[in-house]
Amino acid sequence: MEKYNERYARHYALSDFGFEGQQKMMEAKVLVIGAGGLGCPVLQYLSAAGIGVIGIVDHDHVSLSNLQRQTLYTTDDIGKQKSEVAASRLALMNPENEIVNYSIELTSNNAWKIISEYDIVVDCTDNFASRYLINDACVLLNKPLIFGAIYKYEGQVAVFNLSSEKKDRVHYRHLFPESPKPDDVQNCNDVGVLGVLPGMIGMMQANEVIKIITGLGEVLDGKLLTFNMLTYETYILDISIEQSAENLIPNNRKTFEATDYSILCGISKTNINDLSPDHFTAMISFDDTLTIDVRELNELPAVDFKHIQIPLSQLNERLSELKTFNIVLFCQSGKRSLKAAEILMNHFGDTKKISHLKGGITAFKQEKNEQKD
């Protein structure tokens, strides 16, 4: 029996958890991909619960707009690497955990090596390219995957790839065989999200991790839980296994690592220039550059530099207005401007130079504020 540790006294007191359950927790290795709205509560509760090794994958930086829901970070952390801040904060919460920090973007080139080192994977990402990449790697590596997603006032949780019989294992592609088109799905940067929602969904994800490790309760294996914050309505749906979805999974590691999930999910950026805030500032100052805000009318924050506004929803009808060679696009987060750039590239080809502000006006304002400080 392990040595008594007062930190976990309430776990020991649970008759069906006790020392044995806590020992399993301390021997487990869990990888959390994404340290944002969902990742913060997952990381906090798994760390407090005594998971032995916690891996954090995130290449993003803390911004002011994150703080409404990403509770691991403070105003002083703005501009810092999320995974680094999260790792240092978790170490203060529970120094008995081993925290492994990956301040990188997860790609098909590095995912296999990273995921293979963990027992359970928690998907806390917010884009389809990452979700399909993570799912396919977990299927090939036979790793349980806890999925979470949020949209405005509603969240989803599911557990994939868990059942003991391979033929019975449900995975993400059984729910969504192929990625929707980028313009068919809106991001929380564009439509918003209630701040407490990712906290509740993230805690549900953490709960599923603990249940899998300890064998407690009934896991959402092959089931999708949908939770509405406004009404507290909760639905649990069985996910059907569709055999044709198996053909969409890469056959082996070599095929997986050769797959470009950005292209697979329709977000290729071929010949489109990503502009940093500084490059954007320089570019829009040129007389021969047309700067276009593709946000909807009256979206905030307002900007004080010269530009015209053509919402993404109207872009196809107004292509004839675009006479200049250099065109620079921006939006709130960079997602709509990237889509707009792809539309222009498909229409004009190499006859125009198309650029967009990476990270959107949010990243632009943040960097300008940091430069003032």
Side-chain angles (χ1 to χ4, degrees):
M1 182 179 292
E2 67 174 279
K3 182 180 178 182
Y4 180 84
N5 185 332
E6 188 176 354
R7 181 185 294 272
Y8 309 116
R10 300 302 182 269
H11 279 173
Y12 297 145
L14 290 168
S15 59
D16 48 358
F17 193 107
F19 283 89
E20 182 180 353
Q22 190 60 46
Q23 185 63 36
K24 291 177 180 178
M25 301 272 280
M26 295 168 69
E27 293 172 355
K29 300 177 68 176
V30 178
L31 180 67
V32 179
I33 304 174
L38 292 172
C40 283
V42 170
L43 289 166
Q44 287 170 288
Y45 276 89
L46 292 184
S47 175
I51 298 297
V53 180
I54 299 174
I56 309 172
V57 180
D58 199 304
H59 71 294
D60 200 6
H61 295 77
V62 179
S63 67
L64 183 61
S65 63
N66 297 152
L67 302 184
Q68 159 253 19
R69 64 198 178 282
Q70 299 181 21
T71 54
L72 269 174
Y73 313 119
T74 69
T75 305
D76 290 338
D77 297 322
I78 291 173
K80 297 178 182 178
Q81 197 99 36
K82 285 184 180 179
S83 60
E84 294 179 357
V85 176
S88 62
R89 206 132 292 157
L90 294 178
L92 292 173
M93 288 175 55
N94 189 350
E96 298 170 7
N97 303 323
E98 179 184 347
I99 307 297
V100 184
N101 173 27
Y102 303 92
S103 297
I104 58 175
E105 180 179 6
L106 194 74
T107 68
S108 55
N109 292 322
N110 58 34
W112 189 284
K113 184 178 185 302
I114 295 172
I115 291 174
S116 64
E117 296 176 0
Y118 292 83
D119 305 317
I120 299 173
V121 178
V122 189
D123 181 357
C124 298
T125 61
D126 62 356
N127 65 87
F128 284 99
S130 295
R131 289 170 184 166
Y132 284 101
L133 184 155
I134 295 165
N135 173 80
D136 292 356
C138 287
V139 171
L140 291 171
L141 288 164
N142 192 27
K143 302 290 184 180
L145 172 63
I146 290 82
F147 161 77
I150 53 175
Y151 180 78
K152 295 176 73 173
Y153 304 106
E154 188 170 283
Q156 298 177 335
V157 182
V159 175
F160 298 124
N161 207 43
L162 181 64
S163 298
S164 57
E165 293 294 330
K166 187 173 183 179
K167 61 182 174 60
D168 294 331
R169 288 178 187 152
V170 175
H171 53 74
Y172 184 69
R173 287 189 185 271
H174 289 136
L175 184 61
F176 301 111
E178 297 184 88
S179 173
K181 296 178 181 179
D183 52 341
D184 289 341
V185 180
Q186 292 179 299
N187 183 275
C188 72
N189 290 330
D190 301 323
V191 301
V193 62
L194 189 65
V196 294
L197 175 62
M200 298 188 73
I201 298 301
M203 284 192 286
M204 291 182 188
Q205 288 181 278
N207 187 47
E208 293 303 298
V209 172
I210 293 171
K211 285 156 62 179
I212 291 171
I213 293 171
T214 61
L216 286 172
E218 183 178 342
V219 177
L220 287 169
D221 179 17
K223 300 177 186 295
L224 179 72
L225 181 149
T226 300
F227 178 75
N228 187 300
M229 282 290 300
L230 300 182
T231 63
Y232 284 105
E233 290 181 306
T234 304
Y235 303 98
I236 298 179
L237 307 174
D238 290 320
I239 302 171
S240 300
I241 294 178
E242 177 55 58
Q243 291 303 322
S244 61
E246 304 303 316
N247 299 327
L248 301 172
I249 303 286
N251 295 324
N252 50 46
R253 177 176 182 174
K254 183 177 180 180
T255 306
F256 170 77
E257 292 182 340
T259 302
D260 188 325
Y261 283 82
S262 294
I263 293 177
L264 195 68
C265 294
I267 54 175
S268 174
K269 298 180 288 184
T270 305
N271 298 325
I272 297 171
N273 299 308
D274 288 339
L275 300 179
S276 68
D278 285 340
H279 289 155
F280 177 77
T281 301
M283 191 84 171
I284 64 177
S285 66
F286 299 144
D287 292 336
D288 64 346
T289 296
L290 176 64
T291 304
I292 306 174
D293 181 353
V294 299
R295 296 179 295 173
E296 294 299 316
L297 300 177
N298 301 317
E299 276 194 48
L300 297 175
V303 296
D304 57 4
F305 49 78
K306 184 179 178 181
H307 70 284
I308 66 171
Q309 188 157 30
I310 304 180
L312 178 60
S313 58
Q314 302 175 17
L315 186 60
N316 279 309
E317 289 73 40
R318 299 178 62 179
L319 293 173
S320 61
E321 300 176 27
L322 311 182
K323 307 293 187 182
T324 59
F325 173 71
N326 287 313
I327 298 176
V328 175
L329 306 142
F330 72 90
C331 67
Q332 192 75 7
S333 66
K335 294 183 182 296
R336 281 176 287 176
S337 60
L338 176 57
K339 178 59 182 176
E342 291 172 346
I343 291 172
L344 298 190
M345 188 63 66
N346 289 334
H347 181 78
F348 294 110
D350 294 332
T351 63
K352 295 187 183 296
K353 182 177 180 181
I354 312 297
S355 307
H356 90 115
L357 174 60
K358 185 177 181 180
I361 207 66
T362 299
F364 178 81
K365 294 273 189 181
Q366 177 185 324
E367 183 154 322
K368 293 306 174 186
N369 288 336
E370 290 173 358
Q371 290 174 355
K372 289 179 182 178
D373 295 339

Coordinates of all heavy atoms in Angstrom, one line a residue, residues 25 28 30 32 42 46 51 120-122 146 159 203-215 219:
M25 N -4.1 6.5 -10.4 CA -4.0 7.9 -10.9 C -2.5 8.4 -10.9 O -2.1 9.0 -11.9 CB -4.7 8.8 -9.9 CG -6.2 8.5 -9.8 SD -7.2 9.3 -11.0 CE -7.3 10.9 -10.3
A28 N -0.6 7.0 -13.9 CA -1.2 7.3 -15.2 C -0.4 8.4 -15.9 O 0.1 9.3 -15.3 CB -2.7 7.6 -15.1
V30 N -1.2 11.2 -18.9 CA -2.3 11.8 -19.7 C -1.8 12.9 -20.5 O -1.1 13.8 -20.0 CB -3.5 12.2 -18.8 CG1 -4.6 12.9 -19.6 CG2 -4.0 11.1 -18.0
V32 N -2.8 16.2 -22.7 CA -3.9 17.2 -22.9 C -3.4 18.1 -24.1 O -2.4 18.8 -24.0 CB -4.2 18.1 -21.7 CG1 -5.2 19.1 -22.0 CG2 -4.6 17.2 -20.5
V42 N -9.4 21.1 -17.6 CA -8.9 19.7 -17.6 C -7.6 19.6 -16.9 O -7.4 18.7 -16.0 CB -8.8 19.2 -19.1 CG1 -8.0 17.9 -19.1 CG2 -10.2 19.0 -19.8
L46 N -7.1 17.6 -13.3 CA -6.2 16.4 -13.4 C -5.0 16.5 -12.5 O -4.5 15.6 -11.9 CB -5.8 16.1 -14.8 CG -6.9 15.6 -15.8 CD1 -6.4 15.2 -17.1 CD2 -7.7 14.4 -15.2
I51 N -2.7 13.0 -11.1 CA -2.3 12.3 -12.3 C -0.7 12.3 -12.3 O -0.1 13.4 -12.2 CB -2.8 12.8 -13.6 CG1 -4.4 12.7 -13.6 CG2 -2.2 12.1 -14.8 CD1 -4.9 11.3 -13.6
I120 N -3.6 8.0 -22.1 CA -4.9 8.6 -22.5 C -4.7 10.0 -23.1 O -3.8 10.7 -22.7 CB -5.8 8.8 -21.2 CG1 -6.1 7.4 -20.6 CG2 -7.2 9.4 -21.6 CD1 -6.9 7.5 -19.3
V121 N -5.5 10.3 -24.1 CA -5.4 11.6 -24.8 C -6.7 12.4 -24.6 O -7.8 11.8 -24.7 CB -5.1 11.4 -26.3 CG1 -5.0 12.8 -27.0 CG2 -3.8 10.7 -26.5
V122 N -6.5 13.7 -24.3 CA -7.7 14.6 -24.1 C -7.6 15.6 -25.2 O -6.7 16.4 -25.2 CB -7.8 15.2 -22.7 CG1 -9.1 15.9 -22.5 CG2 -7.5 14.2 -21.6
I146 N -10.5 11.3 -25.2 CA -11.7 12.1 -24.6 C -11.8 13.3 -25.4 O -11.0 14.2 -25.5 CB -11.5 12.4 -23.1 CG1 -11.6 11.1 -22.3 CG2 -12.6 13.3 -22.7 CD1 -10.3 10.3 -22.3
V159 N -16.2 9.8 -25.5 CA -15.0 9.0 -25.3 C -14.9 8.1 -26.5 O -15.9 7.3 -26.8 CB -15.1 8.2 -24.0 CG1 -13.9 7.2 -23.9 CG2 -15.1 9.1 -22.8
M203 N -14.4 20.1 -17.2 CA -14.5 19.2 -16.0 C -15.1 17.9 -16.3 O -14.7 16.8 -15.8 CB -15.3 19.9 -14.9 CG -14.5 21.0 -14.2 SD -15.3 21.6 -12.7 CE -16.7 22.6 -13.4
M204 N -16.1 17.8 -17.3 CA -16.7 16.5 -17.7 C -15.6 15.7 -18.4 O -15.5 14.5 -18.2 CB -17.8 16.8 -18.6 CG -19.1 17.4 -18.0 SD -20.4 17.5 -19.2 CE -21.6 18.5 -18.2
Q205 N -14.8 16.3 -19.2 CA -13.7 15.6 -19.8 C -12.7 15.0 -18.8 O -12.3 13.9 -18.9 CB -12.9 16.5 -20.8 CG -13.6 16.9 -22.1 CD -12.8 17.7 -23.0 OE1 -12.7 18.9 -22.8 NE2 -12.1 17.1 -23.9
A206 N -12.4 15.8 -17.8 CA -11.5 15.4 -16.7 C -12.1 14.2 -16.0 O -11.4 13.3 -15.6 CB -11.1 16.5 -15.8
N207 N -13.4 14.3 -15.7 CA -14.1 13.2 -15.0 C -14.0 11.9 -15.8 O -13.9 10.9 -15.2 CB -15.6 13.7 -14.8 CG -16.4 12.7 -14.0 OD1 -15.9 12.3 -12.9 ND2 -17.6 12.3 -14.4
E208 N -14.2 12.0 -17.1 CA -14.1 10.8 -17.9 C -12.7 10.2 -17.8 O -12.5 8.9 -17.8 CB -14.4 11.1 -19.4 CG -15.9 11.4 -19.6 CD -16.8 10.4 -19.1 OE1 -16.8 9.2 -19.7 OE2 -17.6 10.7 -18.2
V209 N -11.6 11.0 -17.8 CA -10.3 10.5 -17.6 C -10.1 9.7 -16.3 O -9.6 8.6 -16.3 CB -9.3 11.7 -17.6 CG1 -7.9 11.2 -17.3 CG2 -9.2 12.3 -19.0
I210 N -10.6 10.3 -15.2 CA -10.5 9.7 -13.9 C -11.3 8.4 -13.9 O -10.9 7.4 -13.4 CB -11.0 10.6 -12.8 CG1 -10.1 11.8 -12.7 CG2 -11.2 9.9 -11.5 CD1 -10.6 13.0 -11.8
K211 N -12.5 8.3 -14.5 CA -13.3 7.1 -14.6 C -12.6 6.0 -15.3 O -12.6 4.8 -14.9 CB -14.7 7.4 -15.2 CG -15.6 8.2 -14.2 CD -16.7 9.0 -15.0 CE -17.6 8.1 -15.8 NZ -18.6 8.9 -16.5
I212 N -12.0 6.4 -16.4 CA -11.2 5.4 -17.2 C -10.1 4.8 -16.4 O -9.8 3.6 -16.4 CB -10.7 6.0 -18.5 CG1 -11.9 6.3 -19.5 CG2 -9.8 5.0 -19.2 CD1 -11.5 7.1 -20.7
I213 N -9.3 5.7 -15.8 CA -8.1 5.2 -15.0 C -8.5 4.3 -13.8 O -7.9 3.3 -13.6 CB -7.3 6.4 -14.5 CG1 -6.7 7.2 -15.7 CG2 -6.2 6.0 -13.5 CD1 -6.1 8.5 -15.3
T214 N -9.6 4.7 -13.1 CA -9.9 4.0 -11.9 C -11.0 2.9 -12.1 O -11.1 2.0 -11.2 CB -10.5 5.0 -10.8 OG1 -11.7 5.6 -11.4 CG2 -9.4 6.0 -10.5
G215 N -11.6 2.9 -13.2 CA -12.7 1.9 -13.4 C -14.0 2.2 -12.8 O -14.9 1.4 -12.7
V219 N -18.5 5.0 -18.3 CA -17.8 5.9 -19.2 C -18.6 6.2 -20.4 O -19.4 5.3 -20.9 CB -16.4 5.3 -19.6 CG1 -15.6 6.2 -20.6 CG2 -15.5 5.1 -18.3

